Amino acid sequence: MNMDEFKSEKIRNVAVIAHVDHGKTTLVDFMLKQSHTFRENEAEMQQTTILDSNPLERERGITILAKNTAIYYKGYKINIIDTPGHADFSGEVERTLNMADGALLIIDAQEGPMPQTKFVLRKALELGLKIIVVINKIDKQLADVQTTLNKTNDLFLELATDAQHLEFPIFYAIGRQGKAASSLEELSESENLEPILNEIIKFIPSPKVEEGGFQMLVSNLDYDTHKGKHAIGRIHRGGIKKGQNLVLINALGKNVAGKAESIRVSHGLKKIEVDEAFAGDIIDMTGFNNVSIGDTITDFESPQALPRIHLEDPTIKIALSANTSPFAGREGKFTNSRQIWERLTRELETNISLKLEKEGDRMIVSGRGELHLAILLETLRREGYEFQAEKPQVITKSVDGVLMEPVEIAMIDVPDEFLGVVTSEMGIRKGEMINMMSDGDGNTRFEYKIPSKNLFGIRNDLLTNTKGTAIVNMLFFDYEPMSPNIAQVRNGVLIASEGGSALKYGLNNAQGRGITFIEPGTQVYEGMVIGENTRSDDIEINVTKEKKQTNMRASTADVSLGALTPATVMSLEECIDFLEDDELLEVTPKSLRLRKKYLSHIDRVRQARR
């Protein structure tokens, strides 16, 4: 197939947008397979969630990074942009939607429109994208197609700013079976996603082409050791040829000369090198090693910059620093502040919704939410970095002399038996209930407006108290005047009073006071947090203590020791949620250790007196 032959009238640029876990990536899988993008013997055909190539995406079952692919159908090239569905990665959505002319809005037939559905739809309508609605997962046992359709129509009525926004085709799909139809009656006869593909060609407009020289806004970056940085974006106007002289216009408005060293376009998951490309297509080009997301690459003769990508501000920050625990440097490959700072600076090039600043030895990283920051820390950890993290803080701002804090909408779905758990937990955290709906099948959905600072740890608390049945979703709402701080929600902790190897006898004593986070044989140091107390105060315990030997022989001598309860092992996100202001999380490639900022008892007493 000649990749050069696709000019703008034969191109469709479509973003796939939805709330997390509504089936975007699975639908894209079947589009790739059914359009015969892969040969029969290619390994990708055997996979699911093909575009989720990042190991963290596969482990968590969510899309973290926006990616683009392309299929060829009935003589048309359809560029597909798969976007994250989690609100914490909405920066990925914002920077990639500008490459699209239309969008597939995927909505779960059981859950209906969710917080992130509203966010991505609002962004898509603001950009004037044509929307095709796909009601997915209608094979779910509790699917309620009509209610979901009514809520979808209400959502469009709420967000529409133009009468044309209310004109959108609707399809019904079973994503895991790779089939869709324009009506429920036809769905049983359908065998594929061709109805949606046909509608994309018919309903989504071809890219608008302006007269003039080459112009492209850089929406994404890639890198390889042979060619350096790859700039990825949609050609706004004109065409580009290999070897063509170009100009990069950066954030400071400075012009940097260069040339197109290579040009590639997508074909499935592959990138095919071409000699030229035309307006409307999405390309990957090299030639500028100092390029950043938001820069414009344009014609050498008449350079003109495109508007830079605007992103909403971060709402949460976390302070990182070099590890200072007694175990520092034992497990990490990159351990000093300079190495950590350089790696974080590189992250800013592609993760543009992050912000970074330095305060002495502390590196302050600001992002969209706890998951956004936790994914970054997990990535650093897997790359061999060792550091320590403080408790996350919300980002406040002053408006007309009034201190303002971020407020979020929390949507919580639980079985009716746990209604009291939710109302009690949200009451403690000063949440304001704005809606409460029962689905008639024993489940209730709560909507609360609540300051972001009061939400730390709520997901884990609700999952624990509802036996894992709660579904919690959050979406940024607005900034409101600062509210009073709430009392500490979490209980106190068990602190190791001495260093050494944790023993069964010492841990048995600790489990009489609460739950433990470590197993026998774990190396500990003074000031390390080894468990959670059943009460609100902190307790120091010597978990390295051995049982004293005696000459007494009795069958009941060890009855009281018994078997230890297995340790509670927390993920990195759970550890971050668990932190209080006087604690740190030690992060290494092999371990996660909670500790007090002041390790010795006397230092903690002195600090408390201050």
Side-chain angles (χ1 to χ4, degrees):
M1 183 179 290
N2 181 7
M3 300 298 163
D4 294 343
E5 68 187 14
F6 287 95
K7 296 194 176 180
S8 60
E9 61 270 14
K10 287 289 188 178
I11 293 174
R12 299 292 183 269
N13 295 320
V14 183
V16 186
I17 58 177
H19 186 81
V20 65
D21 201 32
H22 279 201
K24 300 180 306 301
T25 307
T26 303
L27 276 174
V28 175
D29 282 356
F30 278 98
M31 288 182 182
L32 287 164
K33 293 173 182 178
Q34 292 175 9
S35 60
H36 306 294
T37 300
F38 304 121
R39 296 191 306 273
E40 294 297 326
N41 64 340
E42 286 188 297
E44 291 92 337
M45 282 289 290
Q46 311 307 319
Q47 298 180 15
T48 57
T49 58
I50 297 167
L51 287 186
D52 284 349
S53 53
N54 184 305
L56 279 172
E57 292 179 316
R58 288 196 170 276
E59 288 173 24
R60 293 166 181 264
I62 60 173
T63 299
I64 295 170
L65 303 171
K67 307 169 197 70
N68 60 288
T69 183
I71 63 175
Y72 297 86
Y73 178 74
K74 292 186 177 180
Y76 286 81
K77 179 182 182 182
I78 303 176
N79 286 312
I80 299 174
I81 304 152
D82 186 25
T83 64
H86 199 287
D88 282 23
F89 306 109
S90 50
E92 291 285 309
V93 180
E94 291 174 275
R95 72 171 173 81
T96 52
L97 281 184
N98 68 82
M99 294 194 287
D101 299 292
L104 294 180
L105 178 65
I106 317 298
I107 301 174
D108 186 298
Q110 177 182 329
E111 295 184 355
M114 298 289 278
Q116 183 70 354
T117 313
K118 183 175 182 178
F119 174 85
V120 294
L121 179 58
R122 184 174 70 244
K123 290 295 179 185
L125 294 179
E126 286 173 359
L127 291 168
L129 303 190
K130 289 276 197 174
I131 309 295
I132 297 173
V133 172
V134 180
I135 309 294
N136 192 26
K137 302 188 179 184
I138 69 161
D139 56 328
K140 274 189 169 182
Q141 185 176 357
L142 299 178
D144 188 339
V145 177
Q146 190 56 51
T147 300
T148 297
L149 195 55
N150 293 340
K151 290 181 179 179
T152 302
N153 288 325
D154 291 343
L155 183 61
F156 272 84
L157 281 169
E158 178 186 348
L159 299 179
T161 56
D162 189 297
Q164 291 185 345
H165 291 164
L166 301 177
E167 298 173 6
F168 52 89
I170 299 171
F171 289 85
Y172 304 90
I174 303 176
R176 62 181 179 176
Q177 296 179 18
K179 65 181 188 178
S182 57
S183 69
L184 291 173
E185 293 75 20
E186 295 173 3
L187 185 60
S188 58
E189 305 296 325
S190 176
E191 297 179 350
N192 51 47
L193 298 175
E194 284 192 8
I196 293 177
L197 295 175
N198 291 331
E199 192 66 24
I200 288 173
I201 292 171
K202 174 184 170 186
F203 185 72
I204 305 296
S206 58
K208 293 179 182 178
V209 177
E210 294 185 13
E211 295 296 323
F214 175 76
Q215 199 179 35
M216 181 183 92
L217 185 69
V218 180
S219 299
N220 203 355
L221 295 176
D222 203 352
Y223 181 83
D224 74 61
T225 53
H226 300 292
K227 295 184 178 180
K229 274 190 183 178
H230 293 247
I232 301 169
R234 169 179 161 175
I235 303 175
H236 183 69
R237 73 178 188 201
I240 183 173
K241 291 185 177 181
K242 190 174 180 179
Q244 180 177 333
N245 290 325
L246 301 167
V247 168
L248 169 73
I249 305 176
N250 62 24
L252 301 175
K254 293 183 178 179
N255 291 3
V256 181
K259 65 168 60 177
E261 293 178 359
S262 70
I263 306 165
R264 300 190 302 168
V265 296
S266 294
H267 180 77
L269 303 185
K270 299 175 182 175
K271 297 287 179 74
I272 308 296
E273 195 147 334
V274 296
D275 293 326
E276 62 179 330
F278 304 96
D281 207 353
I282 296 173
I283 65 167
D284 171 326
M285 64 162 288
T286 60
F288 294 94
N289 279 329
N290 50 358
V291 64
S292 299
I293 292 174
D295 290 351
T296 298
I297 299 176
T298 183
D299 182 60
F300 186 82
E301 300 296 331
S302 54
Q304 290 179 302
L306 288 164
R308 294 187 71 84
I309 299 169
H310 172 72
L311 299 176
E312 293 185 5
D313 292 331
T315 56
I316 291 179
K317 61 184 179 182
I318 191 168
L320 309 181
S321 54
N323 189 10
T324 59
S325 88
F327 294 169
R330 292 187 183 184
E331 300 172 353
K333 184 179 178 183
F334 309 106
T335 59
N336 64 51
S337 295
R338 177 185 56 80
Q339 292 170 322
I340 300 167
W341 176 259
E342 288 175 354
R343 175 60 183 85
L344 290 172
T345 303
R346 289 201 305 275
E347 183 70 19
L348 294 180
E349 293 181 357
T350 53
N351 201 339
I352 61 172
S353 52
L354 280 179
K355 289 188 177 177
L356 179 64
E357 56 186 320
K358 220 169 189 179
E359 291 182 2
D361 295 332
R362 300 161 75 235
M363 292 156 273
I364 313 299
V365 186
S366 303
R368 287 293 185 84
E370 286 179 89
L371 183 60
H372 187 201
L373 296 174
I375 291 291
L376 171 63
L377 302 195
E378 184 65 40
T379 302
L380 297 183
R381 179 190 183 198
R382 294 186 182 201
E383 292 176 2
Y385 288 84
E386 179 179 317
F387 52 90
Q388 61 191 24
E390 299 178 18
K391 179 182 178 179
Q393 305 289 334
V394 297
I395 299 172
T396 58
K397 62 181 183 181
S398 181
V399 179
D400 298 328
V402 178
L403 188 62
M404 309 286 275
E405 66 176 346
V407 173
E408 299 186 45
I409 297 295
M411 187 180 285
I412 305 165
D413 293 273
V414 290
D416 289 347
E417 62 185 291
F418 298 116
L419 297 183
V421 170
V422 175
T423 54
S424 173
E425 186 70 31
M426 297 304 284
I428 293 170
R429 295 172 181 267
K430 306 300 181 185
E432 176 190 339
M433 187 190 294
I434 56 176
N435 203 356
M436 177 179 172
M437 298 170 291
S438 174
D439 64 0
D441 290 308
N443 300 291
T444 297
R445 173 174 294 175
F446 293 91
E447 288 185 34
Y448 281 89
K449 188 173 75 169
I450 181 170
S452 299
K453 68 173 184 282
N454 298 351
L455 284 170
F456 292 130
I458 191 170
R459 195 184 305 272
N460 296 326
D461 287 349
L462 285 176
L463 284 173
T464 300
N465 295 329
T466 63
K467 301 179 181 178
T469 58
I471 300 173
V472 184
N473 292 285
M474 269 89 76
L475 186 67
F476 173 74
F477 174 68
D478 202 354
Y479 276 86
E480 293 187 356
M482 195 77 178
S483 61
N485 290 330
I486 60 172
Q488 180 176 311
V489 177
R490 193 204 73 190
N491 286 336
V493 292
L494 308 179
I495 307 168
S497 61
E498 294 184 27
S501 181
L503 300 175
K504 184 177 179 181
Y505 185 75
L507 285 172
N508 188 70
N509 290 336
Q511 290 191 349
R513 300 297 189 98
I515 60 173
T516 52
F517 300 153
I518 59 173
E519 299 283 2
T522 303
Q523 293 296 311
V524 301
Y525 52 79
E526 183 186 4
M528 182 171 156
V529 173
I530 53 91
E532 182 178 7
N533 191 7
T534 53
R535 300 184 179 182
S536 60
D537 55 329
D538 295 343
I539 302 177
E540 294 181 29
I541 293 182
N542 181 8
V543 291
T544 67
K545 186 178 181 180
E546 294 185 77
K547 183 180 179 185
K548 291 182 179 179
Q549 302 297 316
T550 70
N551 292 326
M552 183 179 294
R553 295 181 63 191
S555 59
T556 59
D558 287 324
V559 168
S560 62
L561 195 55
L564 286 177
T565 304
T568 299
V569 180
M570 294 193 289
S571 67
L572 191 145
E573 285 167 72
E574 290 170 331
C575 287
I576 291 173
D577 280 342
F578 189 82
L579 285 173
E580 285 297 338
D581 292 329
D582 64 338
E583 295 164 354
L584 295 170
L585 172 63
E586 181 184 350
V587 182
T588 80
K590 296 180 180 179
S591 308
L592 296 171
R593 301 184 188 94
L594 293 160
R595 52 161 284 196
K596 289 293 182 178
K597 284 184 180 179
Y598 297 91
L599 295 178
S600 72
H601 173 75
I602 190 66
D603 285 343
R604 289 195 297 275
V605 171
R606 285 172 181 161
Q607 185 62 24
R609 286 176 178 173
R610 288 177 189 171

